[in-house]
């Protein structure tokens, strides 16, 4: 009995003193020419920081996340990294350090390599880059198997392969990557397992356009903790090469009063505030000077949509009229369609694609080319757009 008690005490001590663990990540979000966020999740509350070293630099710089002079002690870390150089390759290491029961800082744990043994790295955007290319997918609907939102295990990896990502500057997830953000555990273990096993092989950064299903579930309030942006909203804009990208969040397609939200939604007010932000983007020199201007919106915006699409069309689409936008790219409907310039009195076309397709996009000073492809790799449609003069 005495030996059993000694063993039990030893196990309890060992368990209590177990070091913090980095469960998910790290990964990069909101990548721009001079900044990025580095995000990761630990199994318990810790203090986190990132050490970043650019190519040709002798020493790494340390970046922390704090507020009102106090560093955050939490599980989901989203550390802002600023004062970077455009078009530069950076390697980084993340650190997590917990406070023990006696109030002392324990030895930090760190992570500098991914599951494939490669160093964590990212390359900042560069508006002077002559040519860029990216891939785009939509409506994967992880976490659901059913008649309307069917998902086959491994479907993500059948679309997004290292070969298709080779040479790409980034990939865009154009919304509804999950059917619902039910919990942290399901979100990471299902979506992120597939995502990082693929993206880590090529160090490809990604941008997440929030879809209406990504706004559902108990974990939906944590969306910006996982996918932070510099606007501190799911809508944002960035420039890379000759293209200025605007990411719009159309919110929910249903009215705020719909039973789906039981009176907890306020997307109308949200979209109206987003519209004011969008007007300021339209007036920016960065937008006006870009040869190409592309909008990403999960929900197609037009006055024939359900409530959300119509309301978004009024507040988010109309401010973009006659502003030199070459194209809006959407998903949501789960099928391909193309509404050309002039339809519904819009001054730019809308390309909609589905979950069994992907877009392969390239842009240089001469033209922007968009290939709509099946998951088999077969090209089903090609679009070409010329730069603004």
């Amino acid at each position: 009995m005495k030996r059993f008690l000694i063993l039990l005490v030893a196990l309890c001590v060992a368990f209590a003193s177990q070091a913090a663990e980095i469960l998910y990540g790290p990964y990069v979000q909101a990548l721009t020419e001079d900044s990025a966020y580095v995000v990761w999740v630990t199994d318990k509350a810790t203090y986190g920081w990132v050490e970043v070293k650019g190519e040709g630099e002798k020493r790494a710089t340390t970046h922390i996340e704090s507020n009102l002079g106090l560093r955050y002690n939490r599980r989901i870390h989203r550390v802002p990294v600023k004062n970077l150089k455009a078009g530069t390759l950076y390697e980084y290491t993340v650190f997590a350090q917990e406070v023990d029961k006696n109030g002392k800082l324990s030895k930090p744990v760190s992570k500098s390599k991914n599951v494939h043994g490669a160093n964590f790295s990212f390359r900042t955007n560069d508006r002077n880059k002559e040519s860029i290319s990216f891939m785009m997918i939509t409506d994967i609907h992880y976490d659901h198997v059913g008649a309307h939102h069917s998902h086959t295990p491994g479907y993500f990896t059948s679309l997004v392969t290292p070969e298709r990502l080779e040479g790409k500057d980034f990939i865009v997830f154009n919304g509804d990557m999950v059917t619902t953000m039910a919990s942290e555990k399901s979100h990471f273990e299902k979506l992120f397992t597939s995502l990082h096993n693929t993206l880590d092989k090529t160090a490809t950064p990604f941008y997440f356009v929030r879809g209406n299903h990504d706004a559902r579930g108990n974990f939906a309030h944590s969306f910006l903790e996982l996918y932070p942006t510099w606007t501190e909203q799911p809508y944002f804009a960035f420039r890379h090469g000759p293209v200025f990208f605007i990411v719009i969040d159309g919110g929910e397609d249903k009215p705020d009063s719909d039973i789906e939200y039981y009176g907890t939604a306020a997307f109308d007010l949200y979209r109206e505030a987003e519209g004011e932000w969008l007007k300021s983007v339209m007036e920016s020199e960065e937008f006006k000077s870009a040869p190409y201007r592309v909008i990403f919106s999960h929900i197609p915006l037009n006055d024939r949509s359900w409530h959300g699409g119509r309301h978004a069309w009024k507040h988010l689409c109309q401010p973009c009229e006659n502003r030199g936008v070459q194209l809006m790219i959407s998903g949501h409907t789960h099928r391909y369609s193309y509404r050309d310039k002039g339809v519904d009195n819009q001054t730019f076309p809308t390309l909609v694609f589905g979950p069994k397709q992907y877009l392969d996009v390239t842009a240089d000073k001469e033209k922007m080319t968009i290939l709509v492809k099946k998951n088999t790799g077969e090209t089903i449609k090609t679009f070409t757009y010329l730069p603004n003069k």
Side-chain angles (χ1 to χ4, degrees), residues 26-27 114-116 118 120 195-204:
Y27 56 95
N114 64 32
V115 294
H116 306 285
F120 291 117
L195 190 154
H196 282 289
N197 280 344
T198 303
L199 299 191
D200 282 353
K201 294 179 181 179
T202 56
T204 306

Side-chain angles (χ1 to χ4, degrees), residues 250 252-255 271 297-314 317 328 330-333 335 337 339 344 346 350 352:
E252 180 56 84
D253 57 354
K254 301 171 176 60
R271 283 185 290 257
S297 173
H298 173 72
I299 297 178
L301 309 184
N302 62 76
D303 61 355
R304 296 182 299 172
S305 299
W306 199 3
H307 172 80
R310 291 198 310 271
H311 190 266
W313 170 77
K314 178 180 178 181
C317 194
M328 176 182 288
S330 299
H332 186 62
T333 65
R335 60 182 181 272
S337 66
R339 297 167 59 249
D344 299 330
Q346 289 187 186
T350 299
V352 182

Side-chain angles (χ1 to χ4, degrees), residues 265-370:
F267 285 107
D268 285 359
L269 289 173
Y270 171 75
R271 283 185 290 257
E272 290 168 16
E274 182 179 358
E276 294 304 310
W277 164 82
L278 187 56
K279 291 176 183 177
S280 67
V281 172
M282 296 291 111
E283 296 301 323
S284 67
E285 184 58 33
E286 190 175 27
F287 171 81
K288 293 178 180 179
S289 63
Y292 304 97
R293 301 154 199 175
V294 175
I295 298 174
F296 299 145
S297 173
H298 173 72
I299 297 178
L301 309 184
N302 62 76
D303 61 355
R304 296 182 299 172
S305 299
W306 199 3
H307 172 80
R310 291 198 310 271
H311 190 266
W313 170 77
K314 178 180 178 181
H315 293 279
L316 304 179
C317 194
Q318 290 184 358
C320 305
E321 298 290 350
N322 299 305
R323 295 288 190 154
V325 174
Q326 276 94 341
L327 181 67
M328 176 182 288
I329 302 176
S330 299
H332 186 62
T333 65
H334 289 214
R335 60 182 181 272
Y336 166 81
S337 66
Y338 189 82
R339 297 167 59 249
D340 208 347
K341 177 180 178 180
V343 176
D344 299 330
N345 298 315
Q346 289 187 186
T347 60
F348 54 85
T350 299
L351 168 61
V352 182
F353 69 111
K356 294 183 179 181
Q357 301 158 348
Y358 68 95
L359 304 186
D360 193 342
V361 186
T362 58
D364 56 30
K365 64 180 181 180
E366 301 295 334
K367 61 184 178 180
M368 178 173 64
T369 303
I370 299 179

